[in-house]
Amino acid sequence: MIDVKNLNKSFKSNHVLKDVSFSVQQGEIVSLIGPSGAGKSTLLRSLNWLERPDSGTITINQSTIVAGQESKQAVFDLRQHSAMVFQHYNLFKNKTVIENVTESLITVKKVNKADAQKRAEAILEQVGMSDKLHDYPSRLSGGQQQRVGIARALANDPLVMLFDEPTSALDPEWVSEVLEVIVAIAKQGMTMVLVSHEMRFVHDVSTRVILLDEGTILENGSPDAIFNHAQHERTRQFLRKVQQF
Amino acid sequence: MGELFSLDFMLGLFPQVIVALPKTLMIAGISALIGLMIGLLVALVRYLNIKGLTLISKVYVSFIRGTPALVQLMLVYYGLPIVIKIINLQFKTAIALDLPKDVFAILALSLNAGAYMSETFRSALQAVDVGQLEASYSLNMTTAQALRRIIVPQAFAVAIPPLANTLTSLIKETSLLFTISVVDLMAQGRIIASRSYRYLEMYVVVSIIYWVVCTILAKGFNRLEKKFRKYERGFQHD
């Protein structure tokens, strides 16, 4: 489903991703964990071409993009296959809940308005936001905003969903309702790659965990293998730090 | 006669002076619309960092902000005919040289307002969270779609109060137009006052009309802002 080969990315002199390669099979839920600055978000955002890697290739479902010689069509295809859920939701502030979901259907996929609205209503029901269709994002709690963010990403019928720390901007009281929605979508067989600091969630939901450290993949295995039988001392150090409370 | 200040005379001036108000509003209105377009275009050039045009827009804004409106008006008034002559010679065109005075006025004021509005739009565009653009790209919207549907509407809402300031400045600057013989409020007042030499009464009348117009405008823009920012928390109520 996803195949990443030799991805490199630098911000000026800071080499954030160093020759990163990994792949994800259909239906897998892969969590990227690691200390801050390890390159997790940069890696995830590259899959949606929100970061432009310096070199390497990304393939999602037979659409391959080669960094440095990407065509507009290749970027378009990549983004059609992958949908991003942002840490800070990034809902369109000047659009209502339902307009946030119909926006890309209407402007990008040229779906007619009535069909787009029907589809949006169905998806918003799935994330439990049917009663707020015509509210603006500013009127919603963080948890509600993020559920709309997930609905907006789902509307595009992606093959892969990318979650960039979907709960780390939320007040603790809203975290579980968002995680529940993610779990429900996972259960439908959606392929997912997520960056998260919710270690319990990562442990319970992931089919595989990748630990990044200083721009390289340090561990890549089942949650049990990483959390209970880590190969590297650095992994154990990291897990002790994040699990100590 | 003989009074220091004649109230009756002053009140009698209102109907005579106010006939020129439509001209003032027409010139200010058209200049505002053209200025708005210039301002948005220049701001987008800077926002998108379009090569080649960025430097030109920087010089344009800096020049307008660094020179008096009256001088700009004179540059247009004496410069435009020469530019037209050169164009006519170069391209064998036959653009009329005796353009109506209003055209000079509108051109000068549009260029002036456009520069100020571009600065307003530029900071308003920068005030829109970069995440809005990222979300648009992520959903495969083009830059043009993202600007038109997401970024510019949000920037516009932020820009309304400073745009109102520019628009009131524009209305006040129309009072310079008598220097190129456009008969606006100010010119009309001067013509009428010259018959009686009661200049003070005339200037009081003219200032009251400007004051009322600008105040109504400010109130109108307040409402407009509430309407445009209805999606923001705290903007639903007074």
PDB file of all heavy atoms in Angstrom, chain A residues 131-156:
ATOM      1  N   ASP A 131     -25.520  16.859  14.834  1.00  0.00           N
ATOM      2  CA  ASP A 131     -26.318  17.954  15.401  1.00  0.00           C
ATOM      3  C   ASP A 131     -25.634  19.314  15.285  1.00  0.00           C
ATOM      4  O   ASP A 131     -26.145  20.311  15.775  1.00  0.00           O
ATOM      5  CB  ASP A 131     -26.648  17.650  16.865  1.00  0.00           C
ATOM      6  CG  ASP A 131     -25.403  17.360  17.674  1.00  0.00           C
ATOM      7  OD1 ASP A 131     -24.398  16.919  17.079  1.00  0.00           O
ATOM      8  OD2 ASP A 131     -25.422  17.572  18.898  1.00  0.00           O
ATOM      9  N   LYS A 132     -24.465  19.360  14.649  1.00  0.00           N
ATOM     10  CA  LYS A 132     -23.742  20.648  14.572  1.00  0.00           C
ATOM     11  C   LYS A 132     -23.439  21.032  13.131  1.00  0.00           C
ATOM     12  O   LYS A 132     -22.497  21.794  12.882  1.00  0.00           O
ATOM     13  CB  LYS A 132     -22.403  20.536  15.328  1.00  0.00           C
ATOM     14  CG  LYS A 132     -22.521  20.139  16.783  1.00  0.00           C
ATOM     15  CD  LYS A 132     -22.694  21.346  17.662  1.00  0.00           C
ATOM     16  CE  LYS A 132     -22.702  20.950  19.127  1.00  0.00           C
ATOM     17  NZ  LYS A 132     -23.146  22.049  19.969  1.00  0.00           N
ATOM     18  N   LEU A 133     -24.210  20.527  12.195  1.00  0.00           N
ATOM     19  CA  LEU A 133     -23.884  20.696  10.774  1.00  0.00           C
ATOM     20  C   LEU A 133     -23.631  22.144  10.374  1.00  0.00           C
ATOM     21  O   LEU A 133     -22.774  22.433   9.560  1.00  0.00           O
ATOM     22  CB  LEU A 133     -25.013  20.134   9.903  1.00  0.00           C
ATOM     23  CG  LEU A 133     -25.264  18.633   9.990  1.00  0.00           C
ATOM     24  CD1 LEU A 133     -26.374  18.238   9.028  1.00  0.00           C
ATOM     25  CD2 LEU A 133     -23.995  17.847   9.686  1.00  0.00           C
ATOM     26  N   HIS A 134     -24.410  23.059  10.944  1.00  0.00           N
ATOM     27  CA  HIS A 134     -24.349  24.443  10.460  1.00  0.00           C
ATOM     28  C   HIS A 134     -23.652  25.386  11.431  1.00  0.00           C
ATOM     29  O   HIS A 134     -23.769  26.595  11.332  1.00  0.00           O
ATOM     30  CB  HIS A 134     -25.754  24.921  10.102  1.00  0.00           C
ATOM     31  CG  HIS A 134     -26.397  24.015   9.079  1.00  0.00           C
ATOM     32  ND1 HIS A 134     -25.952  23.945   7.781  1.00  0.00           N
ATOM     33  CD2 HIS A 134     -27.396  23.114   9.199  1.00  0.00           C
ATOM     34  CE1 HIS A 134     -26.668  23.041   7.123  1.00  0.00           C
ATOM     35  NE2 HIS A 134     -27.548  22.521   7.963  1.00  0.00           N
ATOM     36  N   ASP A 135     -22.924  24.803  12.386  1.00  0.00           N
ATOM     37  CA  ASP A 135     -22.134  25.629  13.299  1.00  0.00           C
ATOM     38  C   ASP A 135     -20.766  25.931  12.684  1.00  0.00           C
ATOM     39  O   ASP A 135     -20.240  25.155  11.901  1.00  0.00           O
ATOM     40  CB  ASP A 135     -21.914  24.895  14.629  1.00  0.00           C
ATOM     41  CG  ASP A 135     -23.142  24.966  15.523  1.00  0.00           C
ATOM     42  OD1 ASP A 135     -24.232  25.247  14.988  1.00  0.00           O
ATOM     43  OD2 ASP A 135     -23.007  24.727  16.727  1.00  0.00           O
ATOM     44  N   TYR A 136     -20.211  27.074  13.067  1.00  0.00           N
ATOM     45  CA  TYR A 136     -18.849  27.381  12.663  1.00  0.00           C
ATOM     46  C   TYR A 136     -17.871  26.722  13.641  1.00  0.00           C
ATOM     47  O   TYR A 136     -18.201  26.536  14.814  1.00  0.00           O
ATOM     48  CB  TYR A 136     -18.622  28.897  12.621  1.00  0.00           C
ATOM     49  CG  TYR A 136     -19.283  29.535  11.417  1.00  0.00           C
ATOM     50  CD1 TYR A 136     -20.511  30.172  11.521  1.00  0.00           C
ATOM     51  CD2 TYR A 136     -18.684  29.456  10.163  1.00  0.00           C
ATOM     52  CE1 TYR A 136     -21.130  30.730  10.415  1.00  0.00           C
ATOM     53  CE2 TYR A 136     -19.290  30.010   9.055  1.00  0.00           C
ATOM     54  CZ  TYR A 136     -20.515  30.646   9.179  1.00  0.00           C
ATOM     55  OH  TYR A 136     -21.109  31.183   8.075  1.00  0.00           O
ATOM     56  N   PRO A 137     -16.666  26.382  13.171  1.00  0.00           N
ATOM     57  CA  PRO A 137     -15.697  25.703  14.032  1.00  0.00           C
ATOM     58  C   PRO A 137     -15.454  26.411  15.367  1.00  0.00           C
ATOM     59  O   PRO A 137     -15.244  25.750  16.385  1.00  0.00           O
ATOM     60  CB  PRO A 137     -14.422  25.682  13.189  1.00  0.00           C
ATOM     61  CG  PRO A 137     -14.911  25.666  11.788  1.00  0.00           C
ATOM     62  CD  PRO A 137     -16.161  26.512  11.792  1.00  0.00           C
ATOM     63  N   SER A 138     -15.504  27.748  15.374  1.00  0.00           N
ATOM     64  CA  SER A 138     -15.206  28.479  16.615  1.00  0.00           C
ATOM     65  C   SER A 138     -16.206  28.154  17.719  1.00  0.00           C
ATOM     66  O   SER A 138     -15.943  28.409  18.888  1.00  0.00           O
ATOM     67  CB  SER A 138     -15.212  29.984  16.346  1.00  0.00           C
ATOM     68  OG  SER A 138     -16.500  30.406  15.957  1.00  0.00           O
ATOM     69  N   ARG A 139     -17.374  27.614  17.330  1.00  0.00           N
ATOM     70  CA  ARG A 139     -18.386  27.278  18.330  1.00  0.00           C
ATOM     71  C   ARG A 139     -18.223  25.875  18.896  1.00  0.00           C
ATOM     72  O   ARG A 139     -18.999  25.443  19.738  1.00  0.00           O
ATOM     73  CB  ARG A 139     -19.793  27.381  17.709  1.00  0.00           C
ATOM     74  CG  ARG A 139     -20.150  28.753  17.222  1.00  0.00           C
ATOM     75  CD  ARG A 139     -20.350  29.675  18.415  1.00  0.00           C
ATOM     76  NE  ARG A 139     -21.326  30.716  18.116  1.00  0.00           N
ATOM     77  CZ  ARG A 139     -22.570  30.721  18.601  1.00  0.00           C
ATOM     78  NH1 ARG A 139     -23.000  29.785  19.389  1.00  0.00           N
ATOM     79  NH2 ARG A 139     -23.374  31.721  18.291  1.00  0.00           N
ATOM     80  N   LEU A 140     -17.230  25.130  18.388  1.00  0.00           N
ATOM     81  CA  LEU A 140     -17.095  23.730  18.789  1.00  0.00           C
ATOM     82  C   LEU A 140     -15.967  23.541  19.791  1.00  0.00           C
ATOM     83  O   LEU A 140     -15.020  24.318  19.820  1.00  0.00           O
ATOM     84  CB  LEU A 140     -16.796  22.862  17.561  1.00  0.00           C
ATOM     85  CG  LEU A 140     -17.739  22.965  16.361  1.00  0.00           C
ATOM     86  CD1 LEU A 140     -17.257  22.048  15.245  1.00  0.00           C
ATOM     87  CD2 LEU A 140     -19.163  22.615  16.754  1.00  0.00           C
ATOM     88  N   SER A 141     -16.070  22.483  20.579  1.00  0.00           N
ATOM     89  CA  SER A 141     -14.960  22.117  21.468  1.00  0.00           C
ATOM     90  C   SER A 141     -13.840  21.533  20.608  1.00  0.00           C
ATOM     91  O   SER A 141     -14.042  21.184  19.439  1.00  0.00           O
ATOM     92  CB  SER A 141     -15.423  21.077  22.473  1.00  0.00           C
ATOM     93  OG  SER A 141     -15.580  19.819  21.843  1.00  0.00           O
ATOM     94  N   GLY A 142     -12.650  21.430  21.191  1.00  0.00           N
ATOM     95  CA  GLY A 142     -11.527  20.850  20.461  1.00  0.00           C
ATOM     96  C   GLY A 142     -11.830  19.443  19.960  1.00  0.00           C
ATOM     97  O   GLY A 142     -11.509  19.087  18.829  1.00  0.00           O
ATOM     98  N   GLY A 143     -12.466  18.661  20.805  1.00  0.00           N
ATOM     99  CA  GLY A 143     -12.787  17.285  20.425  1.00  0.00           C
ATOM    100  C   GLY A 143     -13.739  17.241  19.243  1.00  0.00           C
ATOM    101  O   GLY A 143     -13.581  16.429  18.326  1.00  0.00           O
ATOM    102  N   GLN A 144     -14.730  18.139  19.288  1.00  0.00           N
ATOM    103  CA  GLN A 144     -15.680  18.195  18.177  1.00  0.00           C
ATOM    104  C   GLN A 144     -14.990  18.643  16.898  1.00  0.00           C
ATOM    105  O   GLN A 144     -15.232  18.101  15.826  1.00  0.00           O
ATOM    106  CB  GLN A 144     -16.828  19.149  18.527  1.00  0.00           C
ATOM    107  CG  GLN A 144     -17.730  18.606  19.630  1.00  0.00           C
ATOM    108  CD  GLN A 144     -18.723  19.657  20.119  1.00  0.00           C
ATOM    109  OE1 GLN A 144     -18.432  20.848  20.107  1.00  0.00           O
ATOM    110  NE2 GLN A 144     -19.889  19.203  20.555  1.00  0.00           N
ATOM    111  N   GLN A 145     -14.108  19.648  17.042  1.00  0.00           N
ATOM    112  CA  GLN A 145     -13.395  20.129  15.850  1.00  0.00           C
ATOM    113  C   GLN A 145     -12.570  19.017  15.222  1.00  0.00           C
ATOM    114  O   GLN A 145     -12.536  18.856  14.010  1.00  0.00           O
ATOM    115  CB  GLN A 145     -12.477  21.311  16.206  1.00  0.00           C
ATOM    116  CG  GLN A 145     -13.234  22.571  16.529  1.00  0.00           C
ATOM    117  CD  GLN A 145     -12.316  23.792  16.563  1.00  0.00           C
ATOM    118  OE1 GLN A 145     -11.588  24.074  15.634  1.00  0.00           O
ATOM    119  NE2 GLN A 145     -12.356  24.527  17.660  1.00  0.00           N
ATOM    120  N   GLN A 146     -11.907  18.230  16.079  1.00  0.00           N
ATOM    121  CA  GLN A 146     -11.071  17.181  15.529  1.00  0.00           C
ATOM    122  C   GLN A 146     -11.908  16.091  14.874  1.00  0.00           C
ATOM    123  O   GLN A 146     -11.510  15.510  13.867  1.00  0.00           O
ATOM    124  CB  GLN A 146     -10.147  16.591  16.619  1.00  0.00           C
ATOM    125  CG  GLN A 146      -9.039  15.715  16.080  1.00  0.00           C
ATOM    126  CD  GLN A 146      -8.142  16.432  15.065  1.00  0.00           C
ATOM    127  OE1 GLN A 146      -8.600  16.868  13.995  1.00  0.00           O
ATOM    128  NE2 GLN A 146      -6.879  16.566  15.385  1.00  0.00           N
ATOM    129  N   ARG A 147     -13.108  15.833  15.411  1.00  0.00           N
ATOM    130  CA  ARG A 147     -13.970  14.835  14.771  1.00  0.00           C
ATOM    131  C   ARG A 147     -14.424  15.328  13.393  1.00  0.00           C
ATOM    132  O   ARG A 147     -14.525  14.552  12.453  1.00  0.00           O
ATOM    133  CB  ARG A 147     -15.166  14.517  15.669  1.00  0.00           C
ATOM    134  CG  ARG A 147     -14.739  13.628  16.850  1.00  0.00           C
ATOM    135  CD  ARG A 147     -15.912  13.125  17.625  1.00  0.00           C
ATOM    136  NE  ARG A 147     -16.405  14.107  18.577  1.00  0.00           N
ATOM    137  CZ  ARG A 147     -17.678  14.225  18.943  1.00  0.00           C
ATOM    138  NH1 ARG A 147     -18.595  13.439  18.415  1.00  0.00           N
ATOM    139  NH2 ARG A 147     -18.027  15.135  19.823  1.00  0.00           N
ATOM    140  N   VAL A 148     -14.654  16.643  13.281  1.00  0.00           N
ATOM    141  CA  VAL A 148     -14.981  17.203  11.963  1.00  0.00           C
ATOM    142  C   VAL A 148     -13.760  17.094  11.043  1.00  0.00           C
ATOM    143  O   VAL A 148     -13.875  16.782   9.860  1.00  0.00           O
ATOM    144  CB  VAL A 148     -15.443  18.677  12.075  1.00  0.00           C
ATOM    145  CG1 VAL A 148     -15.700  19.267  10.685  1.00  0.00           C
ATOM    146  CG2 VAL A 148     -16.689  18.771  12.931  1.00  0.00           C
ATOM    147  N   GLY A 149     -12.568  17.329  11.614  1.00  0.00           N
ATOM    148  CA  GLY A 149     -11.329  17.185  10.843  1.00  0.00           C
ATOM    149  C   GLY A 149     -11.196  15.774  10.273  1.00  0.00           C
ATOM    150  O   GLY A 149     -10.782  15.584   9.125  1.00  0.00           O
ATOM    151  N   ILE A 150     -11.573  14.790  11.077  1.00  0.00           N
ATOM    152  CA  ILE A 150     -11.520  13.401  10.617  1.00  0.00           C
ATOM    153  C   ILE A 150     -12.566  13.178   9.518  1.00  0.00           C
ATOM    154  O   ILE A 150     -12.288  12.545   8.495  1.00  0.00           O
ATOM    155  CB  ILE A 150     -11.735  12.431  11.804  1.00  0.00           C
ATOM    156  CG1 ILE A 150     -10.550  12.535  12.782  1.00  0.00           C
ATOM    157  CG2 ILE A 150     -11.897  10.997  11.312  1.00  0.00           C
ATOM    158  CD1 ILE A 150     -10.763  11.815  14.107  1.00  0.00           C
ATOM    159  N   ALA A 151     -13.749  13.752   9.705  1.00  0.00           N
ATOM    160  CA  ALA A 151     -14.808  13.613   8.697  1.00  0.00           C
ATOM    161  C   ALA A 151     -14.373  14.235   7.375  1.00  0.00           C
ATOM    162  O   ALA A 151     -14.599  13.671   6.298  1.00  0.00           O
ATOM    163  CB  ALA A 151     -16.098  14.267   9.197  1.00  0.00           C
ATOM    164  N   ARG A 152     -13.728  15.394   7.466  1.00  0.00           N
ATOM    165  CA  ARG A 152     -13.280  16.083   6.259  1.00  0.00           C
ATOM    166  C   ARG A 152     -12.267  15.219   5.505  1.00  0.00           C
ATOM    167  O   ARG A 152     -12.300  15.118   4.276  1.00  0.00           O
ATOM    168  CB  ARG A 152     -12.655  17.424   6.635  1.00  0.00           C
ATOM    169  CG  ARG A 152     -12.191  18.233   5.455  1.00  0.00           C
ATOM    170  CD  ARG A 152     -11.684  19.598   5.869  1.00  0.00           C
ATOM    171  NE  ARG A 152     -10.459  19.511   6.656  1.00  0.00           N
ATOM    172  CZ  ARG A 152      -9.766  20.564   7.060  1.00  0.00           C
ATOM    173  NH1 ARG A 152     -10.193  21.788   6.776  1.00  0.00           N
ATOM    174  NH2 ARG A 152      -8.674  20.423   7.764  1.00  0.00           N
ATOM    175  N   ALA A 153     -11.370  14.584   6.269  1.00  0.00           N
ATOM    176  CA  ALA A 153     -10.370  13.720   5.639  1.00  0.00           C
ATOM    177  C   ALA A 153     -11.031  12.487   5.015  1.00  0.00           C
ATOM    178  O   ALA A 153     -10.654  12.039   3.938  1.00  0.00           O
ATOM    179  CB  ALA A 153      -9.325  13.301   6.673  1.00  0.00           C
ATOM    180  N   LEU A 154     -12.042  11.947   5.695  1.00  0.00           N
ATOM    181  CA  LEU A 154     -12.737  10.753   5.198  1.00  0.00           C
ATOM    182  C   LEU A 154     -13.523  11.019   3.921  1.00  0.00           C
ATOM    183  O   LEU A 154     -13.681  10.127   3.081  1.00  0.00           O
ATOM    184  CB  LEU A 154     -13.716  10.248   6.260  1.00  0.00           C
ATOM    185  CG  LEU A 154     -13.229   9.234   7.286  1.00  0.00           C
ATOM    186  CD1 LEU A 154     -14.340   8.983   8.301  1.00  0.00           C
ATOM    187  CD2 LEU A 154     -12.821   7.931   6.608  1.00  0.00           C
ATOM    188  N   ALA A 155     -14.005  12.246   3.780  1.00  0.00           N
ATOM    189  CA  ALA A 155     -14.890  12.578   2.661  1.00  0.00           C
ATOM    190  C   ALA A 155     -14.230  12.318   1.317  1.00  0.00           C
ATOM    191  O   ALA A 155     -14.884  11.979   0.345  1.00  0.00           O
ATOM    192  CB  ALA A 155     -15.318  14.039   2.751  1.00  0.00           C
ATOM    193  N   ASN A 156     -12.917  12.455   1.285  1.00  0.00           N
ATOM    194  CA  ASN A 156     -12.181  12.291   0.030  1.00  0.00           C
ATOM    195  C   ASN A 156     -11.952  10.840  -0.351  1.00  0.00           C
ATOM    196  O   ASN A 156     -11.259  10.561  -1.313  1.00  0.00           O
ATOM    197  CB  ASN A 156     -10.836  13.008   0.147  1.00  0.00           C
ATOM    198  CG  ASN A 156     -10.816  14.268  -0.662  1.00  0.00           C
ATOM    199  OD1 ASN A 156     -11.773  14.554  -1.372  1.00  0.00           O
ATOM    200  ND2 ASN A 156      -9.741  15.021  -0.567  1.00  0.00           N
TER     201      ASN A 156
END
